[in-house]
Amino acid sequence: MPLITLVPTSQTFTADSRESVLAAALRAGLNLPHSCKGGHCASCRARVLAGSVEYPGPKPVGLTDEEAREGYALLCQARALTDLRVETREVRPAPEVEIKSLPCRIERMERVAEDVMAVFLRLPAVEDLHFRPGQYLDVMLSEGRRRSFSIASAPADGRFIELHVRRASRSGFTAQLFESLRAGSLLRIEGPLGQFWLRNESPRPALMVGGGTGYAPLRAMLRQLIAAGDRRAVTLYWGASSVGGLYEHEWLVQLERERPGFSYRPVVSAPPAEAPGWVGRRGFVHEAVLAEVADLGAWDVYASGPPAMVESIRSHFVASGLPREQLFFDSFDYAPDTLARLAAGGAGPG
């Protein structure tokens, strides 16, 4: 099996020809930067200094032609053909965060939109899950499959872990949540995962951009700021395809009235005929930001949502003056096994 060496840490691990470099690293206990695991968000981008890789299909959409020519690869998709030397870093969790694998039970479920379920998980009484608002967890399924969901609650919200799950199929795990799973059902989770969280040390205000259930991690950040009495300036743009997709609209409107420094700017992409009562912003959420925010460089931008939205933000916001180091993002995508099934023309995602 090819040997992969990380630079500059000199850590090594081996990779099977059937698995991605990222999967091999995670199997070896090395938490390399990543997010969507689907080749869209580019969080796992790294430079291959020596050796060669291939992809199971076309070049991932999250990697530009220029980046590929410069030797970069997306480790969540790249498979090692030879021994590799890869310039990247291991991401260690914050000192107060420990990744755990835990059983949990569904405490209750609330349908907050036509296709979105709020799921509240109860952990064992003897266990705690310390996380940073913005991180996600994986629900462990059979045959090594997993589904990733951002945590929508803040640590200050109490013991229950809240997830916002959009139904993605007629079968599979998300369909089970809507049709067969009930309060008391047992699940196993792993987390917290990811590097998407609010940078408290920054002097700049936060500009949050969420698409659909990409609102969930931003909600967790916002709720933690409220609980801590943190009065920093925050502007939230939340985009949805329909008015009903803005499932916490009333709470956010009220919060804008009550919390100085907080601005809420909802955006609906449905045409007027499909949302006749909506008098607010229309179109794509990232385009609303570009139209209304004059100086993006004055903000830290936290973006969370579908890969297409995040890709547009990475491209257009930087081109409009946002320094790359002031952009933090979390891209929602189908799990790797679902992407493979869709590519093969199989059933929808779970």
Side-chain angles (χ1 to χ4, degrees), residues 141-154:
L141 306 177
S142 61
E143 300 177 352
R145 296 174 300 129
R146 56 177 68 204
R147 295 292 180 265
S148 301
F149 301 101
S150 290
I151 302 172
S153 51

Side-chain angles (χ1 to χ4, degrees), residues 147-176:
R147 295 292 180 265
S148 301
F149 301 101
S150 290
I151 302 172
S153 51
D157 285 335
R159 186 162 184 81
F160 298 145
I161 302 295
E162 182 177 350
L163 310 177
H164 292 174
V165 180
R166 180 179 299 282
R167 179 165 183 163
S169 70
R170 299 176 190 174
S171 60
F173 177 69
T174 60
Q176 292 174 28

Side-chain angles (χ1 to χ4, degrees), residues 47-340:
R47 191 191 296 270
V48 178
L49 301 177
S52 59
V53 301
E54 66 175 1
Y55 298 105
K59 178 177 65 65
V61 298
L63 188 71
T64 67
D65 291 337
E66 181 181 358
E67 290 169 337
R69 287 192 296 270
E70 293 176 352
Y72 286 97
L74 297 191
L75 301 188
C76 74
Q77 300 296 304
R79 299 177 182 181
L81 293 174
T82 65
D83 291 351
L84 302 177
R85 291 181 66 246
V86 178
E87 187 178 43
T88 187
R89 60 188 175 89
E90 182 186 5
V91 177
R92 299 186 180 276
E96 73 275 13
V97 171
E98 176 187 356
I99 298 174
K100 297 181 178 181
S101 179
L102 299 170
C104 64
R105 290 191 182 276
I106 297 177
E107 176 70 16
R108 69 181 190 275
M109 297 190 291
E110 298 176 4
R111 198 157 180 163
V112 294
E114 182 179 357
D115 60 347
V116 179
M117 186 78 74
V119 181
F120 297 82
L121 304 179
R122 177 189 290 273
L123 300 175
V126 296
E127 293 285 358
D128 288 312
L129 187 69
H130 297 287
F131 64 94
R132 287 190 172 190
Q135 290 188 294
Y136 69 94
L137 57 78
D138 280 355
V139 175
M140 313 304 291
L141 306 177
S142 61
E143 300 177 352
R145 296 174 300 129
R146 56 177 68 204
R147 295 292 180 265
S148 301
F149 301 101
S150 290
I151 302 172
S153 51
D157 285 335
R159 186 162 184 81
F160 298 145
I161 302 295
E162 182 177 350
L163 310 177
H164 292 174
V165 180
R166 180 179 299 282
R167 179 165 183 163
S169 70
R170 299 176 190 174
S171 60
F173 177 69
T174 60
Q176 292 174 28
L177 278 174
F178 279 77
E179 296 178 0
S180 59
L181 291 177
R182 298 290 183 267
S185 296
L186 183 64
L187 301 174
R188 175 165 286 276
I189 62 172
E190 182 176 283
L193 303 167
Q195 296 87 48
F196 187 59
W197 57 67
L198 202 65
R199 270 54 181 182
N200 291 324
E201 67 278 4
S202 174
R204 291 176 292 273
L207 177 60
M208 299 180 177
V209 187
T213 52
Y215 161 69
L218 305 176
R219 175 189 192 266
M221 296 178 187
L222 187 57
R223 291 184 68 85
Q224 189 67 19
L225 289 176
I226 295 169
D230 190 320
R231 295 291 184 175
R232 78 180 68 186
V234 176
T235 295
L236 169 66
Y237 280 82
W238 185 14
S241 59
S242 66
V243 177
L246 301 171
Y247 49 85
E248 287 198 332
H249 177 72
E250 297 303 325
W251 176 69
L252 291 167
V253 169
Q254 180 180 350
L255 184 64
E256 183 177 40
R257 296 193 193 105
E258 297 175 350
R259 184 185 185 273
F262 175 65
S263 297
Y264 168 50
R265 298 173 184 177
V267 185
V268 171
S269 61
E274 297 179 17
W278 181 252
V279 295
R281 297 169 181 81
R282 290 185 183 271
F284 293 116
V285 65
H286 70 279
E287 293 177 349
V289 176
L290 289 171
E292 297 180 4
V293 180
D295 182 11
L296 285 170
W299 301 80
D300 285 333
V301 175
Y302 297 85
S304 179
M309 184 202 86
V310 173
E311 268 306 302
S312 294
I313 288 174
R314 289 179 63 220
S315 173
H316 296 121
F317 282 28
V318 171
S320 297
L322 176 69
R324 292 184 185 275
E325 63 272 15
Q326 291 171 215
L327 173 60
F328 309 93
F329 56 88
D330 196 10
S331 182
F332 287 24
D333 203 359
Y334 297 141
D337 63 289
T338 297
L339 288 170

